Amino acid sequence: EDQVTQSPEALRLQEGESSSLNCSYTVSGLRGLFWYRQDPGKGPEFLFTLYSAGEEKEKERLKATLTKKESFLHITAPKPEDSATYLCAVRTLSGYSTLTFGKGTMLLVSP
Amino acid sequence: GAVVSQHPSRVICKSGTSVKIECRSLDFQATTMFWYRQFPKKSLMLMATSNEGSKATYEQGVEKDKFLINHASLTLSTLTVTSAHPEDSSFYICSARDRGLSYEQYFGPGTRLTVT
């Protein structure tokens, strides 16, 4: 069974304090790993797609990386507006076009 | 990026009534749309996959007679919660996959359903 585990469940940072969120996965065959940001009471907002180990993508203060077992979302010098829940999801060979989501990491950045 | 809308954003209904939620892809065509349910502080649970012009595929444990899905066009899918009960109260989110892009799903803003 495909599994996606995100850690930590919650993370509190000071503004400017860089850190990383982890998404580890056990799947039958990875066809893509996705990162989303979700604000309270809203739908997830697409951030990145990664397809193969070694791939990296950046957007403003966020950088996503991928290995054969896990993905990291690095947040550099975060600001309070980066506070949100970050969701990781995978698409697999057995899952056709569906996504399997992790439980998310709730990030709070204090000024 | 691709935009997906949902309507209504919030709905309160009485127990026993039915509620319809619309999901639209505004600037792209979506051959596949997905319906999720999310409980407070929990991740998204896939309910069903909706393909344009064919019957929806429901996940295990989801009652297809209770959650009716129609994908009538390449830009519109609807979820009808029939004979709603308080336990159906939840946050329902749809997503759409652009048939021109590789597997990326774009999510709607969600619909908060409260059944009294």
Side-chain angles (χ1 to χ4, degrees):
Chain A
E1 184 181 334
D2 299 329
Q3 285 193 334
V4 179
T5 304
Q6 289 187 247
S7 62
E9 289 187 12
L11 179 63
R12 176 170 284 191
L13 300 174
Q14 288 295 119
E15 184 172 3
E17 179 185 2
S18 301
S19 189
S20 296
L21 311 182
N22 178 264
C23 171
S24 62
Y25 59 90
T26 306
V27 300
S28 55
L30 186 69
R31 300 298 292 273
L33 185 141
F34 304 80
W35 282 98
Y36 289 88
R37 167 192 171 131
Q38 186 175 26
D39 292 297
K42 299 192 176 180
E45 173 191 343
F46 172 76
L47 293 175
F48 304 108
T49 310
L50 301 167
Y51 289 105
S52 56
E55 190 175 357
E56 298 183 353
K57 287 192 176 173
E58 283 187 75
K59 179 181 178 181
E60 297 180 355
R61 294 178 292 281
L62 300 177
K63 179 181 175 180
T65 62
L66 181 66
T67 71
K68 290 186 177 180
K69 295 183 179 180
E70 58 192 348
S71 176
F72 290 95
L73 183 65
H74 306 277
I75 303 177
T76 302
K79 297 182 178 181
E81 53 262 41
D82 294 323
S83 298
T85 295
Y86 291 85
L87 298 169
C88 168
V90 297
R91 178 179 175 271
T92 67
L93 283 172
S94 60
Y96 186 52
S97 61
T98 62
L99 297 179
T100 300
F101 280 85
K103 294 183 177 180
T105 293
M106 189 182 302
L107 174 66
L108 177 62
V109 181
S110 303
Chain B
V3 180
V4 176
S5 71
Q6 273 184 249
H7 177 79
S9 57
R10 287 179 175 272
V11 58
I12 301 173
C13 70
K14 292 188 176 180
S15 188
T17 62
S18 295
V19 174
K20 180 184 284 188
I21 303 170
E22 291 187 348
C23 176
R24 293 181 186 271
S25 56
L26 297 185
D27 52 0
F28 66 99
Q29 292 184 326
T31 51
T32 306
M33 288 184 169
F34 305 86
W35 287 95
Y36 294 84
R37 185 171 179 176
Q38 188 174 34
F39 293 98
K41 298 187 178 181
K42 299 289 185 183
S43 192
L44 284 76
M45 181 188 80
L46 180 65
M47 298 174 65
T49 302
S50 165
N51 292 296
E52 187 265 339
S54 63
K55 289 184 178 180
T57 302
Y58 290 82
E59 295 300 301
Q60 193 172 9
V62 178
E63 298 176 60
K64 59 183 178 182
D65 294 331
K66 179 163 189 63
F67 298 99
L68 300 179
I69 291 172
N70 183 274
H71 193 156
S73 75
L74 286 172
T75 60
L76 173 64
S77 177
T78 60
L79 168 68
T80 301
V81 182
T82 62
S83 186
H85 290 284
E87 57 264 31
D88 298 325
S89 299
S90 191
F91 192 51
Y92 292 88
I93 310 175
C94 74
S95 71
R97 184 164 71 88
D98 187 333
R99 66 178 184 177
L101 295 175
S102 300
Y103 312 121
E104 290 160 5
Q105 289 184 28
Y106 296 92
F107 285 81
T111 296
R112 172 72 60 193
L113 170 64
T114 303
V115 184
T116 60

